[in-house]
């Protein structure tokens, strides 16, 4: 079984990459949310009227888990793993390994950006606690960190497209 999935076809590597992006993105989101929520709970204990603003800042690091899930769905959909094992069996090992690497790299970006976004959200929560009128500026700070997760997802999607369209056509030729 391992021989088929990892040595005779690229299915195993592809699934490994998709799951790595999903798992690391989810772990990062959980970590980032917990960092921001710890700060938010302290603020809300004294200023419960800030719940809506604090909740939004706590929620921001959760998007990385969503990006990992989007990538996993795209990989399984584009490769045919979701719908047809026959189509996936024809995937070359090299393409599968490359997709595995793309998934790992994306997962790493998602993990780290979610962690740092959680820390930045916690700082923004402090800002809002002291100066409620600065919420607009405060939300920009963690949004800046978010851009790198978005860039990571976009590049991973471009690589997915390049590997499956250009890469497979080159291998087949």
């Amino acid at each position: 079984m391992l021989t088929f999935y990892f040595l005779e076809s690229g299915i195993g590597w592809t699934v490994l990459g998709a799951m790595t992006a999903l798992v690391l993105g989810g772990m990062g989101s959980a970590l980032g949310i917990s960092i921001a929520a710890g700060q938010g709970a302290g603020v809300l204990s004294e200023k419960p009227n800030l719940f809506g603003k604090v909740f939004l800042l706590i929620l921001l690091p959760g998007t990385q888990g969503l990006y990992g899930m989007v990538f996993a769905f795209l990989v399984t959909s584009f490769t045919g793993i979701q719908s047809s094992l026959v189509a996936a069996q024809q995937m070359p090992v090299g393409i599968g390994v490359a997709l595995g690497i793309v998934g790992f790299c994306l997962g790493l970006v998602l993990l780290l950006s979610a962690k740092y976004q959680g820390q930045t959200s916690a700082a923004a929560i402090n800002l809002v606690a002291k100066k409620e009128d600065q919420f607009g500026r405060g939300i920009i700070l963690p949004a800046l960190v978010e851009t790198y997760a978005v860039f990571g997802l976009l590049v991973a999607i471009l690589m997915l497209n390049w590997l499956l369209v250009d890469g497979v056509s080159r291998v087949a030729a």
Side-chain angles (χ1 to χ4, degrees):
M1 184 167 147
L2 288 176
T3 301
F4 171 74
Y5 285 115
F6 290 94
L7 300 176
E8 295 175 8
S9 77
I11 298 172
W13 298 109
T14 301
V15 170
L16 191 61
M19 290 307 298
T20 301
L22 177 69
V23 168
L24 291 179
M27 288 171 56
S29 285
L31 178 62
I33 287 171
S34 71
I35 292 167
Q39 191 66 43
V43 167
L44 291 174
S45 69
E46 297 198 13
K47 296 185 176 186
N49 60 311
L50 293 178
F51 178 77
K53 293 176 180 178
V54 169
F55 179 72
L56 186 58
L57 289 166
I58 291 170
L59 187 63
L60 283 175
T63 56
Q64 281 83 341
L66 177 65
Y67 298 157
M69 185 175 67
V70 166
F71 180 75
F73 281 137
L74 289 175
V75 165
T76 57
S77 178
F78 286 9
T79 58
I81 291 172
Q82 262 182 3
S83 58
S84 168
L85 190 58
V86 175
Q89 287 173 351
Q90 298 171 2
M91 182 188 312
V93 175
I95 300 293
V97 170
L99 288 173
I101 292 169
V102 169
F104 172 77
C105 292
L106 175 61
L108 196 57
V109 167
L110 297 176
L111 172 70
L112 293 174
S113 67
K115 176 189 174 199
Y116 293 120
Q117 189 174 29
Q119 292 172 347
T120 309
S121 289
I125 288 168
N126 279 337
L127 172 65
V128 171
K130 291 180 182 174
K131 295 186 177 192
E132 189 177 345
D133 63 323
Q134 296 298 309
F135 176 72
R137 290 183 178 167
I139 202 165
I140 290 171
L141 302 174
L144 291 171
V145 180
E146 176 85 20
T147 58
Y148 292 94
V150 173
F151 291 160
L153 177 62
L154 291 176
V155 170
I157 292 170
L158 290 172
M159 294 303 294
L160 173 65
N161 185 52
W162 180 78
L163 286 166
L164 293 178
V165 174
D166 294 338
V168 171
S169 66
R170 284 191 191 125
V171 170

